[in-house]
Amino acid sequence: MVRWKRVLSKVYLALIFLFLYLPILMLIVLSFNNSRSRVTWGGFTLNWYVRLFSDSRILDALRTTLALGIGSAAIATLIGTLGAMGIQAMKRRNYQIVMAVTNIPVLNADIVTGIAMMLWFVRFMPLGFSSVLIGHVTFSIPYVILSVMPKLRQLNLSIYEAARDLGANGVYAFGKIILPQIWTGILSGFFMALTMSMDDFVITYFTKGAGVNTLSTMIYGEIRKGIKPEMYALSTLIFAVVLIILLCTNFLSGRGKEAAEKKQPAD
Amino acid sequence: MKRKYWAAPYLVWVVGFVVLPLITIGVSAMTDDQGHFTWENLLSIGDPINRQALLFSLAIALGCTVICILLAYPAAMILRSLRLNKRGFAILIMILPMWMNFILRILAWQMILSPNGVLNFLIGKLGAGPLQISNSWIALMIGSVYDFLPFMILPVFNAISDIDEDTIEAARDLGANDRAVFWKVILPLSAPGMISGIIMVFVPAMTSFVIADILGGGKIQLIGNIIEQEFTKSMNWHAGSGLSISLMIFVLISLAFTMKNDLKDKGTTIW
Amino acid sequence: MEEHILELNRISKSFDGKMIIKDLNLKIEKNEFITLLGPSGCGKSTTLRIIGGFEKPDTGTVLFHGKDITGLAPDKRNINTVFQKYSLFPHMNVEENIAFGLKLKKKSKAYIQDKIRYALKLVNLEGFEKRETTSLSGGQQQRIAIARAIVNEPDLLLLDEPLGALDLKLRKDMQRELINIKKEVGITFIYVTHDQEEALTMSDKIVVMNKGIIQQMGTSKSIYDEPQNAFVADFIGESNIVDGVMLEDRVVSISGVKVECVDEGFGTDEPVDVVIRPEDLEIREAGKGYFDGTVISVLFQGAYYEIKIRVADTDWISQSVTAPRAGETVGLYVLPDNIQIMHKPRSEDAEVVRE
């Protein structure tokens, strides 16, 4: 009975993962398909990977996407981390108001956020890279705040005060005491912001104007004409790079945790 | 310098790029081309075509949310029982697909579900006839569930993982079998996770237009598609703003209704 | 007739290859207050979890009213537990917590209401029905946890270090209350603690455990007065445990001095452990005891002084209401009755016990 149940639950999890990863598998296969057709297998090729690097339009869009992702994540992390620390020091009433406003971009529909920003931007600036960047920073900041905030709440402030008491100045104590304690929150906030930016389509679509293209908007524009197989190759490459980075960091942090757990004696 | 002033750049940003844009779209929604005040744009949500699209979006979003809850709970329970002790691993698996381009992934579903796609190939091998689900609301539903499922599994899994093993043991000790443990302890204690999951799934499912665009084959109009076309095709910005604001209000009301129901039920569903 | 409500037969359990319980046998009689006592990691909590059904032993059987329940799920056993961390349901108020087990048994509303009132009275929290559990203090939460367990009228109540998280004063009060509750409801209690004083005050019977093995079982008095090995002597109360040699029946040599005792049946010239409780070690004028020694330190402990005396290479602890001065030379004497002689541990297992 129990064994049967265990097998069944493994099968269920496997099906969920299959559901989540089937399209990705499909795209990876297509990136090696020696045929422009999306439905027939024309043999294995690395052709699209080679061609990719001579397609200046795709490379342009990639550069824009990466610049947007890293730039917006960095700005959002800076403003968001400072913001989280400031908000946390606020009085209850102000705290609640600011947190409610913080949740607006998370709760609101992307399409409404995107259109609202577009309508606002056209009043005083041309739509382009900067307007998209501002848009990405705006929807990323809440994720930074939401991942830094819990760390701040767990923060042992008495250590900071002890450091000040022992003669450390504010900046030094912040760097040596506070930062190490909230570092993981900041890092995962940055990563979330980067992920959201790379994955975004709707906000970019409404705030980009004519000249700028990210990978998402470029693909969307090509749907009717047919997607270039080079796109599958590029997406597979990005996916593989991120997968490797994540596996490495997860493996390293997992090992650190295990070592820490082993030190604790079991009762 | 007082610590609360560290939030100053953030507050400027929020006012400049969250609050003011919302005011702008609100103003745009309540004026016409000449800049005169009008209710017309807001009320156009009641036009037959718009109303139908709104109700259809609501149906899709509700269905998608319910399916996500039904799929997420067993998955979260199983993940918990594996005692991976690595919350990071579960998050990684759920976040990772986001690094494959969103539009490409939806296009992949179009290929999978198409008459000569992978799904029909497999079904054909089993000896059944080809399914005609591409370009239909079923394809749209599959795509929506696919895209938003991780946003239900993650908060539900986090909430379930946070439940103390002792609390579950206490329930077992007092005579609760697996079923009673789930309904009387795990479900009520993970309700906050489920609520954030509902918000993360219901709102985007209700308002997206890309999934319907690709998987509906142009035949299906969600309210999101109509709004998008007001801006990109008809160039009728005031009408588009009006529909956006109406949609926003509608979504807020739906959410408030779900929350209130949930809170009210809390006392009754537990027992 | 002696009736065993619970029998553990040859139970062994290991986690990750580490043996936690070794071949444990235990019989518990009806209506006893029995305490499993030992340092952390001794296997007492695991034993309790096996009785509760939360762990399955690797080998051995658990008999409850003579029936084998080794593989039975916790919810199928008429046994309830009071957990160390209280483990109240955070989404329910006091009343709902207490009613949890009764509602699962489909008892009538009136019956449940009666039981809640009775149980709250028993734990001295009348009128707390509608309170949220999160608004209660640690002591109050633990009382609710006790009430929640006993309304189910279990045959056996397991208490896993229930007072461990409370402060000293509250712990003392709760000890007294637990004894009263036990008297009132007449349920068999199995209590787990690492606090020897708690065990000595509350229990009918104490089971001292270490390294997964039962070291000694008996009443508080027998465990305190006649520890069977150095571990028990050391763990229960404070003791002077020193090396000695048994010269003949009723004569032991300690630090080369012949001392009179009451123990018989040891081998001639057998090396032994000698146990003397600090309160039994009398301080006399120099030359009027068995040995003379120098007072190293005197600590006031509230009701008595704790005095450390060095005799040759051995340090002794004595408790006394009058205190000598540090540096003074004094004599030490002990009544023959107050000396406990024990065999030196022989096997490796017994050696482990000594740590």
Side-chain angles (χ1 to χ4, degrees), chain A residues 5 8-10 12-13 16-17 19-24 26-28 30 38-39 75 79-80 82-83 85-91 98 101-102 104-112 115-124 133-134 137-138 141-143 145 152 157 174 191-192 194-196 198-199 201-202 205-206 215-217 219-220 223-224 227 231-232 235-236 238-239 242-243 246-247 250 254 257-258 261, chain B residues 3-11 13-14 16-22 24-25 27-28 70-76 78-79 81-82 85-89 92-112 114 116-118 142 145-147 149-151 153 178 199-200 203-204 207-210 213-214 223-225 227-228 231-232 237 240-241 244-245 247-248 251-252 255:
Chain A
K5 224 169 154 182
L8 205 69
S9 58
K10 290 256 164 73
Y12 181 83
L13 262 197
I16 292 279
F17 287 147
F19 180 59
L20 291 178
Y21 282 87
L22 185 63
I24 292 171
M26 178 101 188
L27 293 169
I28 293 175
L30 282 177
R38 300 186 341 196
V39 287
I75 299 172
I79 296 178
L82 286 175
M85 289 194 289
I87 294 167
Q88 215 227 357
M90 285 177 185
K91 287 199 195 75
V98 176
V101 178
T102 298
I104 291 178
V106 182
L107 294 180
N108 208 354
D110 278 356
I111 187 170
V112 178
I115 290 171
M117 277 197 279
M118 175 190 75
L119 291 172
W120 172 239
F121 291 150
V122 292
R123 290 180 169 232
F124 58 86
L133 183 69
I134 293 174
V137 171
T138 307
I141 290 183
Y143 293 96
I145 291 185
L152 281 176
L157 265 180
F174 174 78
F191 180 71
M192 275 304 286
L194 184 61
T195 310
M196 302 303 284
M198 298 286 287
D199 191 55
F201 166 72
V202 177
Y205 181 67
F206 283 108
L215 289 172
S216 289
T217 57
I219 294 167
Y220 189 72
I223 290 178
R224 306 270 178 260
I227 304 295
M231 272 299 181
Y232 304 140
S235 298
T236 302
I238 296 176
F239 185 78
V242 173
L243 179 66
L246 285 183
L247 283 181
N250 203 54
K257 244 184 235 165
E258 245 169 61
E261 270 160 23
Chain B
R3 191 147 70 91
K4 65 179 173 189
Y5 296 125
W6 293 11
Y10 172 64
L11 293 179
W13 193 282
V14 160
F17 302 117
V18 176
V19 177
L20 287 176
L22 280 178
T24 311
I25 194 176
V27 169
S28 168
L70 293 180
L71 290 177
Y73 260 93
I78 295 166
L79 280 174
S81 72
L82 290 181
N85 233 355
K86 283 179 194 158
R87 194 169 287 199
F89 183 72
L92 183 112
I93 287 210
M94 299 296 153
I95 295 285
L96 194 55
M98 290 176 75
W99 281 90
M100 200 72 163
N101 189 281
F102 155 67
I103 292 169
L104 282 185
R105 279 183 289 135
I106 298 300
L107 280 169
W109 273 110
Q110 192 191 34
M111 300 174 220
I112 292 166
S114 72
N116 47 5
V118 176
I142 292 175
V145 170
Y146 164 77
D147 200 32
L149 183 59
F151 298 102
I153 293 183
D178 285 344
I199 295 171
M200 299 287 279
V203 178
T207 60
S208 87
F209 62 93
V210 180
D213 214 25
I214 296 173
I223 187 71
N225 299 80
I227 294 176
E228 187 243 344
F231 282 92
T232 56
W237 290 16
S241 304
S244 300
I245 292 287
L247 175 64
M248 201 174 117
V251 166
L252 285 179
L255 281 182

Side-chain angles (χ1 to χ4, degrees), chain C residues 107-124:
Chain C
K107 300 285 188 192
S108 75
K109 269 214 164 88
Y111 177 87
I112 294 174
Q113 282 308 319
D114 272 4
K115 273 284 181 187
I116 292 172
R117 219 170 302 129
Y118 165 78
L120 283 176
K121 193 168 175 217
L122 195 67
V123 297
N124 279 324

